[in-house]
Amino acid sequence: MDKDSIKESIKYELLYTFAKDIGQATTEELYMAFALTVRNEIMKKWANTKKIMESGEYKTLYYLSIEFLTGKFWGNNIINIDDIEIYKQVCNELGIPFSQLEEYENEPGIGNGGLGRLAAAFMESLTTLNLPAYGCGIRYEYGLFNQKIINGYQIEHADNWLSDRNVWEVECKDEIVEVKFGGNIIETWEDGRLKIDYRNYYSIYAIPYDIPVVGYDSDIVNTLRLWSAKSYNDINMDWFNRGNYLKASEEKVLAESISKVLYPEDNNPDGKRLRLKQQYFFVSATIQNIIKKSKGKFPLWALSDNVVIHINDTHPALAIPELMRILMDEEGMGWDEAWNITTKTCAYTNHTIMGEALEKWPIDLFKEVLPRIYMIIKEINDRQLHRLNREGTNDWEKIDKMTIIAYDQIRMANLCLEGCYSINGVSKLHTDILKKEVFSDFYAIFPHKFHSVTNGITYRRWLMHANPGLSDLITDAIGTRWKYDSHELEGLHKFSEDSAFRDSFSDVKRYNKQKLAKYISDKTGIHVDPESIFDVQIKRIHEYKRQFLNVLNILYMYDLLLENPSRDIHPRTFIFAGKAAPGYYRAKLIIKLINSIANRINGDIRLNNKLKVVFLENYNVTLAEKIIPAAEISEQISTAGMEASGTGNMKLMLNGALTLGTLDGANVEIKEAVGDQNIFIFGLTADQVENYHKYGGYNSKAIYDNDANVKKVVNQLVNGFLSPENSMMFRSLYNYLLYEEGGITDRYMILKDFDSYRHVHSIVDDQYKMPDIWWKKAILNVAGAGRFSSDESIKNYNSDIWHLSKMGD
Ligand code: 26Q
């Protein structure tokens, strides 16, 4: 749209929605008018896409994910369909601050972290590539909690993101689906067939809310379909008439609680009944919806030629037994036919190798909530055992690892490995570990099922939207093609040698740092020096991600400066952000530790402002968009082998931050992309970590006893240095490093990696003092980031796993 049509539309929407003109409108109304203007542009394409998809001409992907972390819609949609500069000009001319409108929108927080963000990125890239897809998930009424830091502690507040009208969703009442829970199954034989009679169940209804997914300059608009739970048992009149009004409405409240709130655990599943119900709720609604749409278009035996059901981690794994149930119980197929179709239609991505993060459900709970689904899983399990037997496997250790049901639990990853035609890891290293270790027995039997697809990011959001300065600089240097093809960023290679370009590049970074410094001072009152190195660790707080290691090194640097305040260290600002699961005690204590150290260091005038520590509260996509453009060091320091991929690492390199990390997840591929000279690698390798775990030999106490640096910083946790008011506060963290807990000491090998970590930090310091070298490295990071576009990941999924064709071709 040109400027005049945008202005016309704004005036029209204000008049006909709110009966106001621009001068009278509130920020909310202005936002609405702008959002509706953008939405109107999307609608035509969306309607058209829906029509084509309904024709059944194209094989369609259903991407099932319990989380979609979309980030705000408005700004990103503008970038994808239009020219954001025009909108900025319109705002300017009308005297409305563009940023104020952007700020006004609530970010939908319906994901925890990497997995949810990846799902949203994939939907966007599918659309950009004109591939037909539905994202399917849950419309949580409350997203991930809002985090406040009070007195250094994390305090959680409910995230009621739907409190205002959400212009980006459309309720589709006509496509409501019934989902059944509980009850019991009566099996009878009729004409030689098993008949399933499902009794005493209770119904919850699933209403879809559709959100348009806009791609970059794309011909189509895909759909993100989020299901909301609804009960029609408004009031139980028996209870009502007896005067028990609370009880009378209880059923409805309980039923609708299914889509009430997102579970805030990340990589740390908790086997709660409601969580299981959430999983079945959106999976059953989706699969029923798929079957309904398929019938009439093609025979169900041809399902896998027309549909792919992608299972994003094990949370939607019930898609497998649910599809079996519908094909058998409702469509009358026999087991073998249904199994053949199911195993050709479903594909699975694994996102974790940590044992405790692999989902398991207790049989008793499962049977009670989903009796029919349990029967089907039991049958899949029994048939698997028969097959293993037939194949002559009598290695019980192996069978023990592979079965779906064992020790009174259902193991969801094993269900996926049996029931899917494809399984993939999310980085090269991660896939190797899956093949060699976690799922090695499956790999021996089904090597053809295994694929590796490295994660990616929506690079346009992270450059064009988050970092317009860098985006313009890139365009000036290499033209606009990079906006369509991320590999074009390689064209920046030669500019890394160009000193004028390096100067402009560092100017952009300085400007972004000044902006962030202002934000930090507004939010926290802490003054940070924009000339200092901005060293960031922004991600969920988790032991394996080792924010603790970062903290110990900060203590070490602090001690060095106290010894000699005029020591030649380039000033450094450490920036943290991230949420801890509310029930994760140790992660929350780490947040308190970071804040205690921040307090101590930021108030210590002896340091001449050489060191600052900042914890920014409420990390989410919007905050990431503020921090990442200003970052210079990207801390990716998980214990090797633990981080499946990481995607924050990709966003940060794309914005010219240098990775300081272990050889873990996608860091390995980042190193390949930028070259050894342009990344700071430290610590044990995944193989070394694995060997310590297997064969023992790691003794953190010996490191403490023999390394004076380690001893000093570890002692500072408990000698009142950080918390004079309560020196016991961090005792449990101290104990964790030095004393056994469940047979393990310092499980994530923090002390083992400490020396090499502190050493690599001193190299960072040396190199930052040589600006020519530093900015060259930073530019080479941007140049090498192209391969981490989610467009690229989707192309790989499509050629290796999905085999969809582009719409329009
Ligand atoms: C499961 C059951 C019950 C409650 C919660 C959960 C649950 C929820 C979220 C389990 C795991 C998650 C999220 C995992 C996650 O975000 N994993 C990350 O996925 C990214 C995308 O592949 C990777 O880049 C990260 O390395 C990985 O940690």
Side-chain angles (χ1 to χ4, degrees):
M1 278 212 274
D2 59 29
K3 262 196 311 199
D4 289 337
S5 350
I6 296 174
K7 281 186 193 161
E8 271 314 302
S9 165
I10 302 297
K11 287 182 192 151
Y12 179 94
E13 294 296 345
L14 282 176
L15 183 63
Y16 291 102
T17 320
F18 302 108
K20 286 195 176 169
D21 62 30
I22 291 179
Q24 297 167 295
T26 63
T27 304
E28 176 181 359
E29 289 157 354
L30 287 170
Y31 168 77
M32 286 291 176
F34 272 90
L36 289 169
T37 298
V38 174
R39 196 181 75 167
N40 289 343
E41 273 201 77
I42 296 168
M43 285 300 191
K44 276 177 237 137
K45 264 191 200 169
W46 199 15
N48 198 28
T49 309
K50 282 184 180 187
K51 210 179 286 163
I52 302 175
M53 277 166 86
E54 268 159 30
S55 74
E57 195 184 323
Y58 291 96
K59 183 175 183 183
T60 303
L61 167 70
Y62 291 83
Y63 193 87
L64 273 59
S65 178
I66 200 137
E67 306 184 355
F68 286 90
L69 191 52
T70 59
K72 294 185 182 185
F73 292 114
W74 183 58
N76 197 57
N77 284 346
I78 295 180
I79 285 196
N80 281 343
I81 55 161
D82 241 325
D83 185 350
I84 197 157
E85 280 315 310
I86 297 189
Y87 272 83
K88 287 186 176 165
Q89 283 169 22
V90 169
C91 280
N92 234 336
E93 289 171 21
L94 298 177
I96 306 164
F98 181 85
S99 59
Q100 192 179 320
L101 297 180
E102 282 210 302
E103 286 295 322
Y104 177 80
E105 183 177 336
N106 268 339
E107 175 179 331
I110 53 179
N112 272 286
L115 168 141
R117 181 62 211 146
L118 188 77
F122 280 3
M123 286 311 299
E124 197 175 316
S125 285
L126 281 157
T127 313
T128 299
L129 296 170
N130 288 333
L131 297 171
Y134 281 92
C136 308
I138 298 177
R139 180 179 179 268
Y140 300 103
E141 213 175 305
Y142 292 86
L144 186 63
F145 63 87
N146 282 317
Q147 178 196 54
K148 289 244 171 269
I149 301 296
I150 310 253
N151 191 23
Y153 291 102
Q154 166 175 298
I155 305 292
E156 300 92 21
H157 290 269
D159 167 46
N160 188 5
W161 72 286
L162 285 168
S163 57
D164 300 327
R165 182 178 154 208
N166 179 5
V167 295
W168 302 106
E169 65 179 12
V170 177
E171 184 181 0
C172 305
K173 278 206 181 112
D174 55 321
E175 293 193 69
I176 192 163
V177 177
E178 181 183 9
V179 181
K180 298 173 181 174
F181 292 92
N184 51 292
I185 308 291
I186 311 286
E187 294 176 87
T188 48
W189 286 90
E190 239 172 55
D191 307 331
R193 292 186 76 106
L194 182 64
K195 198 171 159 284
I196 296 295
D197 190 5
Y198 189 9
R199 298 196 185 150
N200 303 320
Y201 57 82
Y202 58 94
S203 296
I204 293 175
Y205 292 85
I207 302 184
Y209 285 73
D210 286 358
I211 298 175
V213 181
V214 182
Y216 187 67
D217 201 7
S218 161
D219 301 329
I220 69 168
V221 172
N222 276 317
T223 299
L224 173 57
R225 169 159 279 196
L226 302 178
W227 298 92
S228 178
K230 177 121 182 98
S231 161
Y232 287 97
N233 297 338
D234 276 355
I235 294 287
N236 179 325
M237 289 314 285
D238 283 347
W239 288 111
F240 189 84
N241 291 334
R242 278 185 264 167
N244 194 337
Y245 305 117
L246 269 185
K247 190 97 187 143
S249 61
E250 193 176 45
E251 239 174 90
K252 181 180 169 71
V253 172
L254 282 179
E256 293 181 353
S257 69
I258 286 194
S259 57
K260 192 61 80 184
V261 54
L262 166 74
Y263 274 86
E265 279 89 27
D266 166 295
N267 274 311
N268 198 9
D270 185 2
K272 293 256 170 46
R273 176 185 307 259
L274 183 60
R275 168 84 184 186
L276 179 62
K277 286 193 194 168
Q278 288 186 333
Q279 297 187 349
Y280 184 65
F281 169 75
F282 93 95
V283 164
S284 175
T286 301
I287 306 290
Q288 291 186 57
N289 196 230
I290 293 173
I291 296 297
K292 190 172 163 207
K293 280 192 274 197
S294 301
K295 282 163 76 170
K297 282 188 211 143
F298 50 82
L300 287 178
W301 55 258
L303 189 71
S304 67
D305 298 328
N306 294 279
V307 165
V308 189
I309 296 171
H310 201 92
I311 300 176
N312 193 30
D313 215 289
T314 53
H315 323 138
L318 297 177
I320 298 162
E322 176 66 0
L323 183 55
M324 289 295 288
R325 181 189 72 77
I326 296 176
L327 293 178
M328 295 189 301
D329 300 0
E330 293 178 10
E331 302 300 329
M333 286 185 193
W335 181 278
D336 290 332
E337 193 186 1
W339 185 245
N340 182 37
I341 294 170
T342 302
T343 51
K344 283 197 313 203
T345 306
C346 298
Y348 156 63
T349 298
N350 171 285
H351 294 263
T352 188
I353 56 150
M354 287 188 301
E356 74 273 26
L358 291 174
E359 251 191 317
K360 302 174 189 77
W361 290 101
I363 288 183
D364 289 340
L365 166 71
F366 201 100
K367 266 188 201 159
E368 197 190 309
V369 179
L370 304 168
R372 176 62 182 139
I373 296 298
Y374 175 74
M375 288 167 67
I376 293 170
I377 293 179
K378 178 83 174 61
E379 184 69 27
I380 298 174
N381 180 71
D382 293 352
R383 285 173 186 249
Q384 180 201 36
L385 276 176
H386 270 115
R387 195 195 62 230
L388 289 173
N389 245 314
R390 262 202 324 273
E391 284 162 2
T393 311
N394 47 18
D395 175 347
W396 283 102
E397 206 177 311
K398 190 167 175 179
I399 292 176
D400 187 85
K401 270 170 53 195
M402 292 181 70
T403 52
I404 297 163
I405 303 181
Y407 306 102
D408 293 330
Q409 289 186 315
I410 300 176
R411 305 193 286 203
M412 304 299 269
N414 289 2
L415 174 62
C416 291
L417 282 147
E418 263 318 291
C420 293
Y421 70 90
S422 164
I423 165 184
N424 74 284
V426 292
S427 69
K428 283 185 195 163
L429 175 70
H430 171 58
T431 308
D432 281 347
I433 295 175
L434 292 181
K435 288 181 183 172
K436 280 201 215 120
E437 284 154 32
V438 191
F439 300 133
S440 58
D441 300 312
F442 283 100
Y443 182 57
I445 300 177
F446 307 120
H448 54 281
K449 285 194 185 183
F450 283 68
H451 299 275
S452 181
V453 185
T454 300
N455 284 167
I457 56 170
T458 51
Y459 71 101
R460 297 173 203 91
R461 177 186 282 267
W462 298 105
L463 269 184
M464 293 160 67
H465 188 238
N467 197 347
L470 183 54
S471 180
D472 290 346
L473 184 66
I474 293 172
T475 301
D476 287 347
I478 62 170
T480 55
R481 281 295 311 159
W482 66 273
K483 297 183 180 178
Y484 292 85
D485 177 2
S486 58
H487 292 283
E488 294 279 326
L489 289 171
E490 279 160 27
L492 292 172
H493 233 269
K494 60 174 187 287
F495 288 90
S496 68
E497 305 287 353
D498 174 338
S499 71
F501 186 83
R502 281 199 300 253
D503 288 347
S504 313
F505 189 95
S506 70
D507 286 347
V508 170
K509 188 61 90 180
R510 182 175 302 105
Y511 173 80
N512 293 336
K513 285 165 73 183
Q514 285 162 348
K515 241 172 94 176
L516 183 62
K518 162 124 184 19
Y519 179 85
I520 291 172
S521 126
D522 290 349
K523 290 279 168 186
T524 67
I526 301 168
H527 293 284
V528 304
D529 176 4
E531 296 303 317
S532 64
I533 306 174
F534 279 22
D535 182 320
V536 313
Q537 188 171 19
I538 45 175
K539 50 182 79 247
R540 287 299 287 248
I541 313 292
H542 210 296
E543 284 162 83
Y544 85 83
K545 296 183 188 276
R546 297 201 296 191
Q547 281 91 354
F548 196 10
L549 174 60
N550 192 344
V551 164
L552 292 180
N553 176 61
I554 295 173
L555 270 178
Y556 169 73
M557 286 177 71
Y558 182 36
D559 290 336
L560 284 184
L561 283 168
L562 285 185
E563 265 168 36
N564 175 11
S566 51
R567 201 184 167 92
D568 180 24
I569 292 182
H570 191 94
R572 188 90 68 107
T573 300
F574 289 96
I575 298 168
F576 292 87
K579 295 176 183 175
Y584 190 169
Y585 172 77
R586 190 167 287 148
K588 293 176 99 170
L589 192 57
I590 301 242
I591 293 181
K592 174 66 180 167
L593 176 66
I594 296 169
N595 284 304
S596 298
I597 285 174
N599 245 337
R600 164 97 208 214
I601 289 181
N602 299 339
D604 193 333
I605 49 167
R606 293 171 293 177
L607 301 180
N608 296 322
N609 288 320
K610 280 205 168 151
L611 213 51
K612 286 279 161 78
V613 181
V614 177
F615 189 100
L616 286 173
E617 67 186 12
N618 206 34
Y619 185 59
N620 57 14
V621 175
T622 310
L623 182 55
E625 288 170 2
K626 294 187 165 71
I627 300 174
I628 290 172
E632 294 175 295
I633 285 290
S634 156
E635 300 264 357
Q636 308 299 338
I637 61 178
S638 50
T639 315
M642 304 282 164
E643 188 71 271
S645 160
T647 45
N649 46 3
M650 301 167 183
K651 295 162 200 164
L652 283 153
M653 81 179 289
L654 176 70
N655 279 274
L658 274 59
T659 303
L660 190 169
T662 47
L663 282 176
D664 198 14
N667 298 352
V668 176
E669 289 155 75
I670 292 180
K671 175 167 166 281
E672 271 171 30
V674 300
D676 297 0
Q677 297 309 304
N678 303 305
I679 187 166
F680 302 101
I681 296 293
F682 76 97
L684 296 176
T685 62
D687 282 340
Q688 290 169 328
V689 171
E690 175 65 14
N691 283 337
Y692 276 114
H693 282 156
K694 265 202 201 129
Y695 308 115
Y698 172 49
N699 181 347
S700 64
K701 188 72 172 25
I703 296 180
Y704 169 85
D705 286 332
N706 295 319
D707 182 333
N709 295 319
V710 168
K711 193 172 217 165
K712 183 162 186 190
V713 293
V714 172
N715 284 346
Q716 282 170 333
L717 296 171
V718 291
N719 64 9
F721 183 74
L722 294 171
S723 50
E725 72 288 0
N726 174 8
S727 64
M728 294 302 280
M729 185 174 288
F730 302 116
R731 184 94 212 174
S732 66
L733 292 176
Y734 171 91
N735 288 345
Y736 163 85
L737 292 175
L738 298 181
Y739 300 104
E740 233 178 61
E741 185 186 82
I744 301 184
T745 315
D746 185 14
R747 176 156 177 222
Y748 294 102
M749 310 191 101
I750 289 176
L751 296 191
K752 182 79 194 165
D753 275 347
F754 178 81
D755 195 57
S756 100
Y757 183 57
R758 92 180 161 81
H759 178 66
V760 86
H761 265 289
S762 73
I763 299 177
V764 167
D765 184 68
D766 292 341
Q767 304 217 339
Y768 198 82
K769 290 170 186 150
M770 299 180 279
D772 277 350
I773 293 180
W774 185 272
W775 295 114
K776 177 176 171 188
K777 289 177 193 292
I779 293 163
L780 289 175
N781 268 266
V782 185
R787 68 159 89 170
F788 301 107
S789 158
S790 47
D791 298 351
E792 195 62 27
S793 312
I794 290 298
K795 283 181 198 160
N796 292 332
Y797 272 98
N798 200 36
S799 62
D800 295 359
I801 301 171
W802 300 330
H803 312 298
L804 311 167
S805 353
K806 285 186 186 249
M807 286 176 86
D809 281 6

